[in-house]
């Protein structure tokens, strides 16, 4: 069975309304790839992966399509990491473990 990390993000819109966004990150722990579902489609989203000390290992700009990203993590060493996805429409931060 896959472990799935589910994150609820609350966004305040310009109208003052609060919108919840459900993000799923799996598998966790990861071996080759991290799948992120529930994102908003956007061009040039910045993806950063850092370790628990803040050292950046991955920095890339991707287009988010089909509300999902598949991020290769096979080159990362075993350990705890933070993934940050930033764009005009969202700012997502989550931890995952690489085994």
């Amino acid at each position: 069975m896959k472990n799935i990390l589910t994150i609820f993000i609350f966004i305040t819109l310009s109208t003052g309304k609060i919108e919840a966004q459900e993000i799923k990150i799996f598998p966790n722990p990861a071996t080759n790839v991290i799948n992120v579902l529930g994102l908003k489609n956007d061009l040039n989203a910045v993806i950063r992966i850092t370790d628990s000390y803040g050292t950046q290992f991955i920095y890339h700009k991707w287009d988010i399509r089909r509300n999902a990203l598949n991020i290769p993590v096979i080159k990362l060493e075993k350990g705890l990491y933070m993934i940050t996805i930033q764009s005009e429409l969202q700012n997502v931060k989550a931890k995952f473990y690489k085994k």
Side-chain angles (χ1 to χ4, degrees):
M1 184 171 127
K2 293 182 181 178
N3 292 327
I4 298 175
L5 175 63
T6 302
I7 303 167
F8 290 97
I9 298 174
F10 297 95
I11 303 167
T12 304
L13 303 174
S14 60
T15 60
K17 291 174 63 178
I18 296 177
E19 178 182 298
Q21 183 178 352
E22 182 180 354
I23 307 292
K24 293 184 180 184
I25 298 175
F26 64 93
N28 197 5
T31 53
N32 299 331
V33 69
I34 286 287
N35 302 296
V36 185
L37 303 179
L39 297 169
K40 294 185 179 194
N41 291 335
D42 202 353
L43 300 177
N44 292 320
V46 175
I47 288 76
R48 288 185 181 92
I49 295 183
T50 58
D51 66 9
S52 56
Y53 298 105
T55 304
Q56 185 170 280
F57 288 92
I58 294 176
Y59 175 91
H60 196 75
K61 289 187 179 183
W62 268 304
D63 293 344
I64 300 172
R65 297 190 177 135
R66 296 187 198 118
N67 303 96
L69 281 175
N70 298 35
I71 303 166
V73 295
I74 194 165
K75 293 182 180 180
L76 296 177
E77 296 291 326
K78 178 179 173 180
L80 180 65
Y81 293 90
M82 172 73 76
I83 181 169
T84 304
I85 302 167
Q86 293 178 306
S87 71
E88 289 184 24
L89 301 175
Q90 60 211 335
N91 187 6
V92 176
K93 291 184 181 183
K95 293 179 185 175
F96 71 93
Y97 187 76
K98 168 70 166 64
K99 66 175 178 174

